[in-house]
Amino acid sequence: MSDAAQPTAAEVRAAAEAVKTALDRHLAAVERRSGDDDPAVLEAFNQLAAAAEAYDELLYDRYDEVTPFEIPGAEELPPYAGPEEPHAISVLIRRDYAVAEPQRLLAQAQRVEAAEYSAAGGLAEDAAGTVPGALGILFGEFEPDEIASRHKEFGLEEGDSTLWVTAADETPEAGEWLETPFEHVDPQQVVCRFDVSAVFDEDEEDDEDADEDEELEYVEDEVEDEGLEPLDTEK
């Protein structure tokens, strides 16, 4: 890149200040969050991601230096190209679970089924006798957010999850998309998204283990350089 095309030092400084502001806004949103999928937190997260990415690019262009920032999923979506003032939004949620304890799942569904039929004065139809039947009963009885917060009670184990907020100029007609609810999503209409995955935690743990290994190796090198024997921790 030519010197003429490089950002100025003032532009880099302004980008750094924008990151600081975004950090403060994100922390404030987290402190006031109303739940796991609080839209204010999602918006603050995306603003922080955008500010960090902009600063990283300017820092590299000006000083040939990088930052340690790594925003999961920040580069998976194209730039937003939806309406500036959307009149409607769609919230797309996917949560994956493993059926870790089928018997617990069946037992919980049987309790719900028995209570419902008892209240109606009839006999249970034993729809909870199979895993698919039990899932239908539980997800029909409880809101998805409640199942997410109580998944262990239902014998489920959390997997990955994601939430997308997409914008539109107008609300779709009733029943328009019910047959194919998750098709035809335009990535450029996505206002914000929030991903949860164990892989993010694993990446952090790998980085921490690598740092510990490097520190241990450095200490051992010092001991050898000084002509001393390493301590025997088993004594």
Side-chain angles (χ1 to χ4, degrees):
M1 179 179 292
S2 66
D3 292 341
Q6 286 185 343
T8 65
E11 289 174 330
V12 179
R13 174 66 62 180
E17 293 300 325
V19 173
K20 297 175 185 177
T21 301
L23 277 169
D24 290 338
R25 289 175 178 170
H26 183 258
L27 177 57
V30 170
E31 291 174 337
R32 298 193 302 266
R33 74 186 313 160
S34 58
D36 291 340
D37 298 325
D38 190 325
V41 176
L42 302 183
E43 181 180 0
F45 173 89
N46 282 279
Q47 290 176 348
L48 176 57
E53 184 177 3
Y55 171 62
D56 188 272
E57 291 179 358
L58 290 173
L59 187 71
Y60 182 80
D61 290 344
R62 175 68 185 183
Y63 299 109
D64 196 25
E65 188 58 69
V66 297
T67 70
F69 302 145
E70 183 177 354
I71 307 299
E75 299 180 358
E76 295 181 8
L77 292 174
Y80 175 71
E84 293 185 3
E85 297 183 3
H87 295 94
I89 64 169
S90 295
V91 179
L92 292 82
I93 301 175
R94 171 173 174 168
R95 293 185 176 122
D96 288 353
Y97 298 95
V99 181
E101 299 180 71
Q103 293 305 317
R104 180 182 291 272
L105 176 74
L106 295 172
Q108 291 284 23
Q110 287 165 0
R111 290 192 187 97
V112 172
E113 187 180 47
E116 288 181 350
Y117 280 91
S118 175
L123 297 176
E125 297 181 356
D126 197 27
T130 66
V131 170
L135 290 170
I137 290 173
L138 292 175
F139 278 87
E141 176 70 16
F142 301 100
E143 293 290 334
D145 287 344
E146 184 171 3
I147 289 180
S149 64
R150 301 172 55 189
H151 62 277
K152 292 183 179 180
E153 296 179 35
F154 303 123
L156 302 175
E157 182 179 312
E158 282 185 313
D160 290 353
S161 66
T162 187
L163 180 148
W164 293 32
V165 179
T166 65
D169 287 316
E170 57 185 20
T171 305
E173 295 292 333
E176 180 178 336
W177 50 258
L178 290 180
E179 292 185 2
T180 55
F182 301 110
E183 292 185 4
H184 311 301
V185 177
D186 184 353
Q188 291 188 308
Q189 299 289 100
V190 177
V191 178
C192 59
R193 64 176 291 178
F194 182 70
D195 300 328
V196 175
S197 175
V199 71
F200 301 148
D201 298 333
E202 291 172 1
D203 290 343
E204 292 177 359
E205 291 174 359
D206 290 342
D207 291 341
E208 291 176 357
D209 291 342
D211 291 342
E212 291 177 359
D213 291 342
E214 290 178 1
E215 182 178 354
L216 178 60
E217 182 179 353
Y218 175 73
V219 171
E220 289 179 347
D221 287 344
E222 279 190 337
V223 172
E224 292 174 0
D225 290 343
E226 294 175 3
L228 300 175
E229 294 183 359
L231 293 175
D232 185 352
T233 56
E234 297 181 354
K235 292 182 179 180

